[in-house]
Amino acid sequence: MDTWKDWQEAQPQVVPMLVASIEKNRLAHAYLFEGEAGSGKHEVALLMAKRFFCKEHNGAEPCHACSDCLRIEHGNHPDVHQVGPDGQSIKKEQIEYLQKEFTYRGMESAAKVYIISHVDKMTASAANSLLKFLEEPQGQTLAILLTENGASILPTIRSRAQQMRFLPPSQTQIASKLVAEGIEENQALFLAALTGNKAYAKALAEGDWSFQARTVVLQLMHELFTRPDLAAITLADKWIPLMKERLQQEMGLEMMLLWLRDLLYIQAGKQDKLVYADNKSKFDELALSTSQHTIRAAMSHVLEAKRHLSANVSIQLVMERLLFTIQEG
């Protein structure tokens, strides 16, 4: 159950504006929520839907306990319609069905809410149908459009909705939520930094790949700066077999960047920012014998390796070259 207070810190601009509009009874008929995955767009949209129907609200806050609130929470309120991509896109038929639903009186009141996720993935015909819908709002309705890519939204649609820009979630906020859901703190900090997305981080935590990858990267990077002869063996025996898919390979390189950044943080006295905090003692030792120039050069090499990977260069070649260039540096 999310409350306005829960999202106040994460979205200090959006939340006060919405709360003020609700309290003054000045909600627009349509909103466009734009922001990264995990920024809270959908959760805030559901909060607005709850308050739109809740009869036991306290100011802007819905009660979260009445029949309307509970059914919205569980996704089965008859007058709250949620639409998302059917396959790769939102099709014209989906918007037409939504329009048809809105021609009927609400099941339990005159009010209706529709939430469209990934609205940027509408086909051209679907976007045109939605535009007509927005131009002619029927009765007591609230439209909430969600997107991670606002640049792909038709200007005519943007102009007919009040735009709200959601800030990306901070790593600290994501990690705190993961810890609250039972994930160990060091792993939560690591996954939050790696993904920047609570849902994705939680999905990774449910398997053992991220745990294995973290262990292998820690070993590989420490050997690379202390025993480079062993690093080549670890690469061949552990890193390559574990990083089988392209996404895993990209994440493996991102883990290396996080390790190098931690080494810089140690040198800058910013121990509170460490992602691999449980390896602080090893970082302390390396920080005394490694220059910032060497670390920054290594980070540049990792970024170059990511570009080569994007160009479909063999992961074996990418990693062998990466280790060689870091050692030479």
Side-chain angles (χ1 to χ4, degrees):
M1 180 190 75
D2 292 290
T3 66
W4 289 117
K5 185 177 180 181
D6 293 330
W7 288 103
Q8 171 71 49
E9 182 180 353
Q11 300 299 336
Q13 297 176 331
V14 167
V15 167
M17 290 176 64
L18 290 174
V19 168
S21 295
I22 292 170
E23 290 177 339
K24 296 176 182 178
N25 197 28
R26 292 180 181 174
L27 281 178
H29 78 280
Y31 288 86
L32 175 62
F33 289 174
E34 180 181 355
E36 294 181 10
S39 59
K41 302 185 301 296
H42 189 255
E43 291 84 351
V44 171
L46 290 179
L47 260 176
M48 292 181 69
K50 283 183 179 180
R51 177 57 178 79
F52 202 66
F53 288 101
C54 182
K55 300 178 181 64
E56 306 296 330
H57 59 83
N58 180 16
E61 190 68 44
C63 73
H64 301 287
C66 68
S67 173
D68 285 314
C69 285
L70 292 176
R71 284 183 294 173
I72 292 171
E73 182 81 23
H74 294 104
N76 56 17
H77 194 289
D79 295 320
V80 177
H81 303 270
Q82 300 196 52
V83 177
D86 179 11
Q88 296 298 312
S89 63
I90 297 174
K91 299 172 176 59
K92 180 181 179 181
E93 293 76 18
Q94 292 175 269
I95 303 300
E96 289 179 338
Y97 177 79
L98 188 64
Q99 289 174 303
K100 183 178 179 181
E101 286 292 308
F102 271 65
T103 61
Y104 305 129
R105 178 179 170 82
M107 293 285 289
E108 298 176 10
S109 71
K112 284 179 178 286
V113 171
Y114 62 97
I115 300 170
I116 303 180
S117 300
H118 301 289
V119 70
D120 53 288
K121 295 184 178 181
M122 288 187 297
T123 63
S125 55
N128 287 327
S129 293
L130 177 62
L131 181 59
K132 294 176 183 178
F133 202 16
L134 290 172
E135 287 174 338
E136 302 170 4
Q138 300 178 14
Q140 189 181 353
T141 66
L142 174 64
I144 308 175
L145 316 177
L146 314 180
T147 182
E148 295 172 23
N149 184 15
S152 297
I153 307 297
L154 287 175
T156 46
I157 289 179
R158 296 181 69 94
S159 67
R160 285 163 176 77
Q162 185 166 335
Q163 299 170 40
M164 296 283 184
R165 178 67 187 176
F166 280 61
L167 298 173
S170 72
Q171 294 177 13
T172 302
Q173 291 163 352
I174 295 171
S176 296
K177 288 181 179 293
L178 292 173
V179 170
E181 295 186 17
I183 297 175
E184 192 270 329
E185 185 175 7
N186 283 330
Q187 189 68 4
L189 289 168
F190 165 67
L191 291 173
L194 181 63
T195 66
N197 182 298
K198 176 178 172 288
Y200 190 20
K202 189 176 179 182
L204 282 176
E206 291 172 354
D208 60 358
W209 180 85
S210 63
F211 292 86
Q212 295 179 41
R214 184 182 193 274
T215 301
V216 169
V217 168
L218 286 172
Q219 179 182 346
L220 177 66
M221 295 304 289
H222 189 262
E223 290 173 351
L224 188 57
F225 280 79
T226 58
R227 292 285 305 277
D229 54 324
L230 294 180
I233 298 173
T234 299
L235 174 67
D237 291 350
K238 296 183 178 181
W239 203 96
I240 295 294
L242 188 61
M243 311 293 181
K244 296 178 181 177
E245 300 175 4
R246 175 58 57 85
L247 180 59
Q248 293 174 336
Q249 295 160 5
E250 292 173 350
M251 293 179 69
L253 289 170
E254 186 64 30
M255 292 178 198
M256 295 173 73
L257 280 174
L258 292 175
W259 188 94
L260 291 165
R261 191 181 67 179
D262 273 6
L263 191 52
L264 282 178
Y265 279 150
I266 284 290
Q267 292 185 334
K270 298 180 179 180
Q271 290 85 350
D272 59 318
K273 293 184 176 293
L274 295 182
V275 171
Y276 300 105
D278 51 338
N279 269 246
K280 181 180 178 300
S281 59
K282 291 184 177 180
F283 284 128
D284 287 337
E285 294 175 9
L286 284 172
L288 297 174
S289 58
T290 310
S291 70
Q292 286 196 10
H293 173 76
T294 298
I295 300 169
R296 294 187 187 280
M299 295 178 79
S300 295
H301 294 321
V302 175
L303 291 171
E304 182 68 18
K306 292 181 76 172
R307 287 191 286 271
H308 287 152
L309 192 62
S310 298
N312 293 318
V313 179
S314 159
I315 185 62
Q316 183 86 32
L317 292 176
V318 167
M319 292 304 298
E320 288 176 354
R321 179 178 178 181
L322 174 60
L323 264 61
F324 176 77
T325 53
I326 290 178
Q327 290 168 18
E328 288 294 298

